[in-house]
Amino acid sequence: MASLKAVLGTSRPAARVLSPLLGCRPPPALGSASAAAMEPAPRWLAGLRFDNRALRALPVETPPPDPEGAAAAPRLVPGACFSRVRPAPLRQPRLVALSEPALALLGLGAPPAAAAAREEREAEAALFFSGNALLPGAEPAAHCYCGHQFGQFAGQLGDGAAMYLGEVCTAAGERWELQLKGTGPTPFSRQADGRKVLRSSIREFLCSEAMFHLGVPTTRAGACVTSQSTVVRDMFYDGNPKHEPCAVVLRIASTFLRFGSFEIFKSEDEHTGRAGPSVGRNDIRMQMLDYVISTFYPEIQATHASDTVQRNAAFFREVTRRTARLVAEWQCVGFCHGVLNTDNMSIVGLTIDYGPFGFLDRYDPDHVCNASDNAGRYAFSKQPEVCKWNLQKLAEALEPELPLELGEAILAAEYDTEFHRHYLHKMRRKLGLVRSEREEDAVLVAKLLETMHLTGADFTNTFYLLSSFPVGPESRGLDDFLSSLTEQCASLEELRLAFRPQMDPRQLSMMLMLAQSNPQLFALIGTRANVTKELERVEQQSRLEQLSPAELLSRNRGHWADWLQEYRTRLEKDREGDSDAAAWQAERVRTMRASNPRYVLRNYIAQNAIAAAENGDFSEVQRVLKLLEAPFHREGEATEVLEAPEPEGASRAADRRGSYSSKPPLWAVELCVT
C-alpha cells in the first residue's frame, strides 16, 4: 500500500518549504493512518496542494459519525457556515470530458501523448472527480446558505448536491476552491438524493467553459464524470419519471460564497414566516465579512483597516459594481440565467449555478429560459432589475455591520450607472464604433434590438453578420447583405410555432368569463398576466395566418433597411477626421470580430451532445467543448458564411459541426429546460 509520502508526491518538510511561497499551509494529515490507507494514492493529481482557509476561518459543524447516514439527513445547521460531509460512491464512474484550460488553473499539465498514459490519467480523473476517492488534503464540506427564491425568502437552502473539497494553492500563488456537484446527500438536501444527472451536468460543464471563453466572469468546470448509478427524475414534472444516469461536475472558482451566505442570519420573514438558521449570530456575520474582505478584497481591507463601516461600505460598493458589469455582459451576449435567486448570486461577481440557462436564438426581450418560471420573473430583459433587487437583499443581510441606509445609498448611486456604462461600452464594440462615443448611441442600440425583435432575428448571428456590413459610399453589396441578414430572421413557420397558444381554448374562455363576472376572484387567482400573454399569442397567431412568406420577407427587409441607414450614418460619423479610412475599417472589423461570437452554447447543440452521451458516445461533448473554447473569429480565417437551419428530419447523431453557427432547427423550439 502506498505511503502518505508517496500519496502527497513530496515530503512533509518539502511541503513546508513551499507553503510560504504559495501563501498556503502544508496539506493537513488525513484523519488517521487507517483513513490514509483506505484512499488510493493519486499520481497525476498528487501535486495538488490543499490549504483549506475557509474551514479555518469560518465555523464548521462536525456531525458525529453515523453508519446509517443520519449525519447527512436533512436538518437545520445553526451556528455554522459549513457542515462536514462525505461523498457517496457511484457505480463504475467514467470520464465524459476534461477541460484542459480549466485544469491548467490548478497547475495540471497538458495531456500526455501516449495513449496508455492518457487512459491512466482519465481513470484517475474518474475516480477522484466523481468523489469515489478523496485527494490528500481534501476536506469535504457542504456550505450553509439561505436565499430569496422567486422573490420569497425560502429559509435555509445550502449545498444540497454540492461539496466543497478544499482550496488548492498553485505555484503561481493563486488559490482555487474545488467543488464537486452531484456527490450525494448533505444536511441541506431537503429530502432529495443530492445527485445530478448526466444531461444537467453536461449543460453546466459546457456552459461554464463557454462563458469563460466568451469573456464573461464565471465559475469554471474542470471535469464531467458519469456512472452506472441512476436516479429517478421527472424531467418536466408531468408525471413521467424515468431512470437517468448520475453524473458529477468538478467546479473551480476563487470562492462559491454567495449573497445567500449572508442571509443565514435573517430574522423571521414577514411574508413566509421563515428565518435563517443562525439568526442573531452577528458574531458569525462579522467573522464572514472579515474573511471575505481580507481574502477576496485585500485592497479594501488594507485601505480601510481602521474603519470597519467604511470597509464594509467599500466592499458592498465593489460587489454592486461587479454585479452590474456581470449582468451587462449577459445582456450583450444574449445569456439568460434562468434562476436569479439570491442564493445564485456570487459575492465576487461570477456567474454561478448553471441550471435552466439559455442563450437567445430569436431575439425576444421577454424570453424565459426556465419552463418553471411561469410568471416570467427572470425573463431576459428583467435580469438587470432582478440583480439590483438581489443586491438590495444583500444590503439588508449585511445590517448592522453595514447600516442599511448607507447600503441603499450605495446601490442607488452605483448600480444603474455602472450597468449602463459597461453595457454601452460593450455594445459600441459589438457595433464597431471604435473612434468616438456619442449620446445617441444608446438610441441606436435600442432601435437595433427593436428591429431584431420585430423581425425575429437571431441574436448571435445578427451581430456576427454586422461586421461584414458594406460601409463604402457607393453601398455596393448592400442588397446581398440585406439578403444575408433577412435569412437570419424568423421564418413564418418559426413564428407560428413560437406564438402558438399555450392554453386550451375552453380554459381561456372560462378565465375570461371569470374576469368579467368576478374580477376580485380572478385577481386572487393571480393568472391575469398569463391570460394577457395568451390573448397576445392568439392575436399574433391570427395576424400570422394572414401573412404570406413573401410579405414577411418584404416587411423584414424594410425594417432592416431603415435601421441600417441610421447605422451607416453613425459609422460615417465615427470615421470623421480619420485620414486613414483603411486603418479605421480594419480596426472596426477586428473589434467586432473580437466582440461578436460565432458560437454560443445553443440549446440544440447541448441537446445533441447530451443525446450522444446518454448513448455512451462522449465525442460530441468533447467536440462542442473545443468549439466553445474558440468562439470568436480568428485572424487569418476566411469570413464564415452562416448556414440556414438544417432540413427537418436530418440525423441528430451525425457530426454536425457545419450547423453549429446556424439558426436552430425547428425541432429545437420544442426543447424545454426546467
Side-chain angles (χ1 to χ4, degrees):
M1 188 63 68
S3 67
L4 183 59
K5 177 178 177 181
V7 169
L8 293 174
T10 185
S11 66
R12 183 68 61 175
R16 291 197 182 96
V17 171
L18 284 171
S19 61
L21 301 176
L22 303 177
C24 296
R25 293 187 179 186
L30 296 176
S32 65
S34 60
M38 289 170 60
E39 296 288 0
R43 296 181 61 180
W44 170 50
L45 301 173
L48 296 180
R49 298 287 173 262
F50 281 88
D51 176 56
N52 307 325
R53 180 186 292 177
L55 300 188
R56 296 196 306 272
L58 300 173
V60 182
E61 180 206 58
T62 305
D66 189 328
E68 301 301 320
R75 63 180 186 280
L76 285 179
V77 179
C81 298
F82 290 91
S83 178
R84 295 191 186 276
V85 290
R86 186 85 179 184
L90 291 169
R91 288 193 296 111
Q92 299 180 35
R94 181 184 174 194
L95 182 69
V96 175
L98 295 172
S99 170
E100 300 297 343
L103 294 175
L105 296 172
L106 309 179
L108 297 172
R118 285 200 308 274
E119 289 177 6
E120 183 178 337
R121 186 175 184 259
E122 291 175 2
E124 188 169 311
L127 179 65
F128 288 98
F129 295 155
S130 65
N132 276 27
L134 289 178
L135 292 164
E139 297 181 80
H143 177 43
C144 181
Y145 52 82
C146 291
H148 282 78
Q149 296 189 316
F150 292 91
Q152 300 296 321
F153 185 65
Q156 178 179 286
L157 298 171
D159 283 337
M163 293 183 188
Y164 164 104
L165 279 188
E167 300 160 51
V168 168
C169 295
T170 70
E174 297 176 327
R175 175 185 291 271
W176 297 102
E177 179 180 326
L178 302 190
Q179 189 183 83
L180 294 180
K181 184 173 182 179
T183 44
T186 76
F188 312 109
S189 296
R190 293 176 291 170
Q191 308 301 325
D193 51 38
R195 292 299 190 190
K196 292 298 175 182
V197 295
L198 183 58
R199 56 181 164 83
S200 62
S201 299
I202 287 174
R203 285 173 57 83
E204 171 146 8
F205 173 73
L206 290 175
C207 199
S208 299
E209 293 306 280
M211 292 287 273
F212 170 77
H213 292 287
L214 287 170
V216 181
T218 178
T219 59
R220 303 293 300 276
C224 181
V225 177
T226 188
S227 70
Q228 294 296 313
S229 298
T230 62
V231 288
V232 176
R233 291 288 187 266
D234 187 350
M235 188 190 311
F236 302 118
Y237 308 107
D238 60 1
N240 294 297
K242 67 173 187 176
H243 286 273
E244 296 192 56
C246 297
V248 174
V249 175
L250 170 69
R251 306 203 296 185
I252 305 169
S254 56
T255 182
F256 286 89
L257 294 180
R258 52 203 69 207
F259 292 10
S261 301
F262 286 96
E263 292 190 288
I264 64 174
F265 316 105
K266 179 175 168 53
S267 57
E268 184 176 297
D269 185 80
E270 60 177 329
H271 301 293
T272 66
R274 299 187 178 101
S278 296
V279 61
R281 293 297 303 271
N282 287 1
D283 57 321
I284 300 178
R285 177 168 36 220
M286 293 172 62
Q287 205 174 340
M288 192 183 300
L289 274 167
D290 290 345
Y291 167 72
V292 167
I293 297 172
S294 63
T295 303
F296 307 110
Y297 297 93
E299 66 289 346
I300 291 177
Q301 179 67 38
T303 303
H304 301 285
S306 60
D307 190 331
T308 302
V309 171
Q310 287 306 309
R311 182 200 68 169
N312 296 344
F315 159 68
F316 182 68
R317 182 178 293 108
E318 181 60 21
V319 174
T320 297
R321 290 173 176 170
R322 290 192 188 190
T323 303
R325 292 194 295 269
L326 176 66
V327 72
E329 293 278 352
W330 293 348
Q331 303 305 106
C332 288
V333 81
F335 175 76
C336 307
H337 188 285
V339 197
L340 279 176
N341 300 325
T342 57
D343 54 291
N344 291 335
M345 300 289 296
S346 165
I347 209 71
V348 291
L350 302 176
T351 313
I352 60 172
D353 287 355
Y354 292 91
F357 67 83
F359 285 88
L360 290 177
D361 294 318
R362 175 179 61 87
Y363 178 71
D364 177 6
D366 296 324
H367 175 68
V368 177
C369 65
N370 179 3
S372 303
D373 185 5
N374 297 319
R377 177 180 175 83
Y378 299 139
F380 176 73
S381 61
K382 294 180 181 178
Q383 292 185 137
E385 197 58 36
V386 166
C387 288
K388 185 178 182 180
W389 189 92
N390 288 341
L391 281 162
Q392 168 70 29
K393 296 305 166 187
L394 175 61
E396 294 170 9
L398 295 178
E399 197 178 28
E401 277 60 58
L402 176 66
L404 184 57
E405 298 80 5
L406 180 53
E408 290 178 333
I410 291 170
L411 184 58
E414 299 287 348
Y415 183 84
D416 291 337
T417 299
E418 186 69 7
F419 170 78
H420 291 296
R421 183 198 66 79
H422 194 74
Y423 177 77
L424 200 51
H425 167 74
K426 295 287 293 186
M427 279 296 185
R428 286 190 178 106
R429 293 184 62 81
K430 289 174 76 69
L431 293 178
L433 305 177
V434 295
R435 290 286 191 265
S436 63
E437 297 181 359
R438 294 177 177 264
E439 289 185 6
E440 66 263 28
D441 292 346
V443 176
L444 182 69
V445 170
K447 287 184 176 180
L448 167 61
L449 296 178
E450 181 184 7
T451 303
M452 292 172 67
H453 190 205
L454 287 170
T455 62
D458 186 90
F459 184 89
T460 300
N461 289 356
T462 297
F463 275 108
Y464 180 76
L465 276 172
L466 286 176
S467 65
S468 59
F469 176 58
V471 293
E474 298 84 7
S475 299
R476 286 179 296 194
L478 180 58
D479 283 344
D480 289 341
F481 180 79
L482 262 175
S483 296
S484 297
L485 202 53
T486 52
E487 285 177 3
Q488 297 305 319
C489 297
S491 68
L492 205 51
E493 192 172 6
E494 289 175 70
L495 291 173
R496 286 171 179 166
L497 280 172
F499 290 101
R500 65 193 185 282
Q502 303 294 308
M503 286 186 184
D504 184 289
R506 292 169 297 181
Q507 180 188 6
L508 178 60
S509 177
M510 184 179 68
M511 296 302 294
L512 291 174
M513 286 192 294
L514 180 63
Q516 289 183 333
S517 63
N518 195 336
Q520 291 84 7
L521 178 59
F522 179 71
L524 190 63
I525 293 174
T527 58
R528 181 182 299 276
N530 290 345
V531 171
T532 300
K533 287 183 180 179
E534 186 67 9
L535 290 172
E536 291 173 355
R537 279 193 289 265
V538 170
E539 184 180 350
Q540 182 72 359
Q541 274 283 336
S542 178
R543 287 197 296 264
L544 291 171
E545 291 299 329
Q546 309 301 317
L547 196 64
S548 71
E551 289 170 331
L552 178 64
L553 176 62
S554 175
R555 189 180 72 178
N556 288 345
R557 285 182 70 93
H559 287 311
W560 278 112
D562 291 344
W563 183 82
L564 288 172
Q565 182 56 50
E566 294 189 42
Y567 182 42
R568 179 185 297 281
T569 301
R570 177 63 182 91
L571 287 173
E572 289 171 354
K573 291 179 181 178
D574 198 64
R575 189 174 53 185
E576 284 176 359
D578 197 318
S579 58
D580 191 340
W584 170 84
Q585 171 68 354
E587 184 180 354
R588 167 184 166 265
V589 171
R590 183 170 58 251
T591 299
M592 293 183 76
R593 288 180 177 174
S595 304
N596 297 309
R598 292 181 296 176
Y599 309 116
V600 294
L601 184 62
R602 299 176 186 265
N603 270 343
Y604 82 95
I605 294 176
Q607 186 57 38
N608 284 336
I610 290 166
E614 288 181 334
N615 287 321
D617 177 6
F618 306 143
S619 63
E620 184 67 6
V621 174
Q622 296 160 6
R623 188 180 296 114
V624 170
L625 178 63
K626 288 299 178 187
L627 180 88
L628 297 173
E629 288 175 359
F632 298 100
H633 182 94
R634 292 179 178 178
E635 289 299 322
E637 287 182 340
T639 302
E640 181 179 359
V641 177
L642 299 174
E643 305 93 353
E646 64 187 75
E648 189 67 19
S651 170
R652 300 185 196 177
D655 179 356
R656 300 168 68 182
R657 187 179 181 86
S659 68
Y660 289 148
S661 64
S662 73
K663 288 170 54 185
L666 283 177
W667 61 262
V669 177
E670 306 295 335
L671 291 175
C672 177
V673 184
T674 60

